[in-house]
Amino acid sequence: MSEKKVSLLEGFKAFLTRGNVIDLAVAVVIGAAFTNIVNAVVKGVINPLVGAFGTQDLDNYSSCLQGPCTTDPKTGEMDGIEILWGSVLSAALSFLITAAVVYFLMVLPMAKYLARRAATQAAKEGVRETMEVSELEVLKEIRDALVAQRTGGEPGSHGPGSGEAPGGTDGAAADPREDR
């Protein structure tokens, strides 16, 4: 039974020490701090600016759906149905500002970086392919020169009379005396 607990703890430790779990935890903490900044900007700057066009702060804008929407001073209860559309608009502005900041300061630069990295990688691959093609050409020329020396023909002639089989090897068995 103790072996099972040890393996569970080891599995949990491996899960916690994975790179993506730690990255996610950091992202959540930074996101929470960033949310506080955005909310402070919306409540401290945007809401008063929008409220400047009216008579009050954006969070205080509301409409009555039914009834006079009056608050009883003794009990603090609302008579009627009040719709707080100002706080909804404030939340929507917070969302838009957060999305814009995340896109323009995080997503767009990362996309440009990854595109540059992919272009660099593609250029390296292109150079590597060019090198492989040129090496292949040199090897073909060497092969052709060796075949020409053996057969006494011209380099690059692989016709039916060159003595080369379609597979690229000599059709006849090599003379063992030539290897010595």
Side-chain angles (χ1 to χ4, degrees):
M1 184 166 205
S2 64
E3 291 178 11
K4 203 173 204 179
K5 287 183 180 179
V6 171
S7 65
L8 284 175
L9 289 176
E10 287 176 1
F12 184 65
K13 181 181 175 185
F15 170 74
L16 287 179
T17 57
R18 268 192 216 153
N20 55 358
V21 172
I22 293 170
D23 291 342
L24 182 62
V26 169
V28 168
V29 169
I30 298 257
F34 183 69
T35 301
N36 288 337
I37 292 171
V38 169
N39 287 340
V41 168
V42 168
K43 288 185 186 241
V45 177
I46 305 248
N47 285 354
L49 286 175
V50 173
F53 295 109
T55 58
Q56 54 190 338
D57 192 20
L58 189 59
D59 284 334
N60 295 329
Y61 282 99
S62 63
S63 297
C64 246
L65 185 63
Q66 179 182 18
C69 284
T70 57
T71 305
D72 186 10
K74 294 179 183 174
T75 61
E77 292 182 14
M78 174 70 70
D79 292 333
I81 300 173
E82 184 179 31
I83 297 178
L84 302 171
W85 58 270
S87 60
V88 173
L89 183 60
S90 177
L93 287 173
S94 294
F95 171 76
L96 287 175
I97 291 171
T98 304
V101 168
V102 166
Y103 179 76
F104 290 113
L105 295 182
M106 296 176 193
V107 174
L108 193 61
M110 183 58 80
K112 287 182 180 181
Y113 168 74
L114 292 176
R116 270 189 267 129
R117 188 172 171 194
T120 304
Q121 188 68 20
K124 285 181 183 178
E125 290 294 324
V127 168
R128 188 176 303 148
E129 286 178 15
T130 304
M131 288 176 49
E132 289 174 2
V133 168
S134 62
E135 287 176 5
L136 185 62
E137 291 298 322
V138 170
L139 290 173
K140 284 180 182 178
E141 290 174 10
I142 293 170
R143 179 201 62 200
D144 292 344
L146 290 172
V147 167
Q149 283 180 353
R150 279 179 105 173
T151 61
E154 292 216 7
S157 63
H158 291 119
S162 68
E164 183 171 286
T169 59
D170 195 0
D175 188 3
R177 288 178 282 162
E178 289 180 4
D179 292 339
R180 293 183 193 170

